[in-house]
Amino acid sequence: MSIRISDNVGAAARRDIIDLEKKISNFVSGAMTDEHFRKFRLTRGVYGQRQPGVQMIRIKLPHGRITADQLIRIADVSDRYATGNLHATTRQDIQLHFVKLADSPQLWADLEDASVTLKEACGNTVRNVTGSARAGIDPEEPFDITPYAYTIFDYFLRNPICQDMGRKFKISVSSSEQDSAYGYMHDVGLVARVQDGKRGFKVMLGGGLGAQPFAAQTAFDFLEEDRIIPFIEGVIRVFDRYGERTKRHKARMKYLLNDLGLDEMLRRIEEETPALKNKTFEVPGLALDVRPDRPEVSGFKLETSDAKLSTWFRTNVFEQKQKGWYAVQLRVLLGDMSSDTARALAGIVKKYAADDIRVTVNQGYLLRFIRPEDLTAVFHELDALGLAEPGFDTTADITTCPGTDTCNLAISSSYGITRALETMMREEFPDLVFNDDIKIKISGCMNGCGQHSVANIGYHGSSLKNGAYVLPALQVLLGGGFNGKGEGLIADKVIKIPTKRGPDSLRLLLRDYEANAFDGEYYSDYYARQGKNYFYTLLKPLADLKTVVDSDYIDWDHTEQFVTEVGVGECASVILDLVATTLTEAQEKLNWSNEALAESRWADAIYHAYNTFITGAKAALMSRDVPTNTQHGIVSDFDKHFVGESGFHEAEGDFKTRVFSINKQEPSEAFARQFIADAIEFLTNVQAYRERQIELEGAPELQELTQAQDS
């Protein structure tokens, strides 16, 4: 073994790291196809970049929670293997860019030594569980959601039910009715509530962004805390079984819910109850740094003649629910922080704050439990690092994705337009650092990593054709985010303009709001009152392509003429025997099932065996050129096309009854052993059938496979 793995790394992570190294070797040698390897590495946080030959590494930080030593370790790893930059994301992860593929196993091992993982940070899995950064110190919260966010992350990490879904799955946990974790745009969004003295959550289902954003539907106004994890497990099992798998753009949970309807979705979730590993699940406490109140310094007022310090105190500092303690929020331009700055920040945390840093959903950081008498010193030390800019999470603090700097799917520069807009606001609208109503979010494309669809004012990268030429453009979206009633809204697409006119568009929108909004009127309420056509008319002159100039054909941060280079993604174009590849996957899943059985993990063993049935049946159908899609459809089609086939089943419906017994039985040892024995027999028969087919028909023609990346 060439990689160094410390004794601090757990057995499961150790095996994952060694497996990644082996798979990289197989891929480089040609023993593993591009497509198979792509699926594998994405679920290990290794993601292809726009630049060939290098990877983006996504570090999975549940709830964005990190210690000072972990921050130092990430900084050290970035220096050693990446560019010395740490990019905070809207999902409270940290990303490193320009990493060599061969370095990724050792990078992972170095992080796991500090209890930081890459596992399931990308791919068709349960992604990072996000949560309100203020959790535990939020004056508005009914209780601390930190243990719940972490436990949800831990419960589904390496869980068999979510290792090979049709698409990614996102969960958020908000600490109060303000829904600061944006639950309404998640597959499952939770909002903490107390009812009749009991803890629980409002539960929302089926939200999502992308080209067709959906607001989530409310499944429960209140669900008791011990039922939350079993309910989410039921949701994932239904999504895994019935979710779209062929049309990738329709493969998110929001489309399944839209097709089934909420009542039918909830009925199918309830059907999964017998098979659940846990019918109820008590969330254990976490060792959190909660300090006693200091009421003598509650309501602290900073007295200073330093204008920047005074503004920073007003916009970036708040008193915690623990009286006499204060939290400091760091505004980080573009979410980017150098490794040297990160190490210095860790030193400030160790000196002045609790060892519990939170990455925020708007790409900043939050420090907790700071004494008011230390705030001035903290400001000056942060200011020396460039981390004391006022206006955290205000209009002036734009959320953005990296765009064309590193992403395959981006159309135009997100970073460039973000810098231009923030500069314009700083010079022309300095008081916007005090406005926490209007949120501006930018993405490099329609997929929405910058969350533009839930912004009051949003932009996403696009392009416009003008005669024989193409120029970079921005799609303007308005009216998303939260209104005055606290309702989460999806923004409307209003108009598309050349990207160089972005500052002009924002200037127009802000001046219009200043001139015509009612006192105290939320921006999204103002948008709703005026209507989409009003804003289309307001911005229409900026869309006039008869007035473009040469500079409009050049994107922000660029000097060359704009060329559209998008849609390629991590395309895998490879020549392979698809049936053989699928049978190999089925055998891997059977191996995992036997391993779980040996470790007495009955529910896990059963689900791996279920996936063996599904993948084996898929291979058999592919051998007859029968198209496959949902897992439920695969089972039904196998029943129909292979009825009476030697070695399989005698009557139509037998196979379906056998496979779908998974959700009608308790996950007992007896059922696990029988179900796995059935899966072994079935896969053996499929392999034998395929061998007979090749003998009769000859070796299959190798096929070219192209599949876009998972974003």
Side-chain angles (χ1 to χ4, degrees), residues 187-223:
D187 296 292
V188 174
L190 306 174
V191 177
R193 286 181 172 176
V194 172
Q195 183 173 298
D196 298 327
K198 296 179 180 178
R199 291 182 176 185
F201 294 87
K202 175 186 176 181
V203 181
M204 294 173 280
L205 284 181
L209 300 182
Q212 287 186 283
F214 283 42
Q217 300 180 46
T218 299
F220 299 100
D221 286 317
F222 183 83
L223 189 65

Side-chain angles (χ1 to χ4, degrees), residues 19-29 37 101-102 104-105:
D19 198 21
L20 176 60
E21 184 187 42
K22 289 178 180 177
K23 291 293 197 298
I24 290 174
S25 178
N26 290 344
F27 171 68
V28 171
S29 70
F37 180 63
L101 181 61
S104 55

Side-chain angles (χ1 to χ4, degrees), residues 294-301 319-320 322-326 372:
R294 305 172 73 233
E296 70 279 2
V297 286
S298 180
F300 177 76
K301 291 181 173 55
E319 184 173 7
Q320 301 178 182
Q322 296 85 5
K323 297 298 181 184
W325 292 100
Y326 291 77

